[in-house]
Amino acid sequence: MKADKEKVTRSLKIARGQLDGVLRMIEEDRYCVDISNQLLATQALLKRVNQEILRAHIRGCVRDALQTDEPNPKLEEALQLLEKLIT
């Protein structure tokens, strides 16, 4: 992985903590809107982490793979990931 592992790991641990918090909120029968807001915050964090990983992949692996004229599986992988993000 070419992304900043320390930054990605730290963000994922924060997301895990947020999910643990959401589970506690559900167990405590907290207000639904508060739970939903916390879930949205977690989703936003996960989206940022995924974007960071994909940026690094495109700047590293895909760029390197484009240096050749041969068919490129890395490019196809990147395109498939982008399609998933759009849908």
Side-chain angles (χ1 to χ4, degrees), residues 41-53:
T42 305
Q43 287 175 323
L45 176 57
L46 290 172
K47 182 178 179 179
R48 285 192 304 273
V49 171
N50 193 34
Q51 288 171 340
E52 173 67 27
I53 290 170

Side-chain angles (χ1 to χ4, degrees), residues 1-2 7 9 18 25 34-35 37 40 44-46 51 55-56 61 69 72 74 77 79 83 86:
M1 183 173 83
K2 302 217 182 235
K7 180 180 176 183
T9 300
Q18 288 175 322
M25 292 173 80
D34 292 340
I35 294 170
N37 283 329
L40 289 170
L45 176 57
L46 290 172
Q51 288 171 340
R55 265 192 221 102
C61 299
D69 291 333
N72 195 317
K74 295 289 183 189
E77 285 176 346
L79 290 171
E83 287 173 8
I86 293 170

Side-chain angles (χ1 to χ4, degrees), residues 4-21:
D4 182 342
K5 290 181 185 180
E6 192 173 306
K7 180 180 176 183
V8 167
T9 300
R10 184 174 49 253
S11 294
L12 289 174
K13 286 180 180 181
I14 290 169
R16 181 174 57 193
Q18 288 175 322
L19 286 174
D20 288 341

Side-chain angles (χ1 to χ4, degrees), residues 13-85:
K13 286 180 180 181
I14 290 169
R16 181 174 57 193
Q18 288 175 322
L19 286 174
D20 288 341
V22 168
L23 288 169
R24 279 192 303 279
M25 292 173 80
I26 292 169
E27 290 168 357
E28 296 168 1
D29 202 26
R30 299 272 298 273
Y31 187 54
C32 295
V33 173
D34 292 340
I35 294 170
S36 182
N37 283 329
Q38 189 63 38
L39 285 168
L40 289 170
T42 305
Q43 287 175 323
L45 176 57
L46 290 172
K47 182 178 179 179
R48 285 192 304 273
V49 171
N50 193 34
Q51 288 171 340
E52 173 67 27
I53 290 170
L54 290 176
R55 265 192 221 102
H57 178 66
I58 290 169
R59 288 181 180 142
C61 299
V62 174
R63 185 186 65 211
D64 293 346
L66 290 174
Q67 302 300 320
T68 179
D69 291 333
E70 296 185 25
N72 195 317
K74 295 289 183 189
L75 182 58
E76 291 305 315
E77 285 176 346
L79 290 171
Q80 288 173 359
L81 283 170
L82 290 173
E83 287 173 8
K84 287 179 185 178
L85 286 172

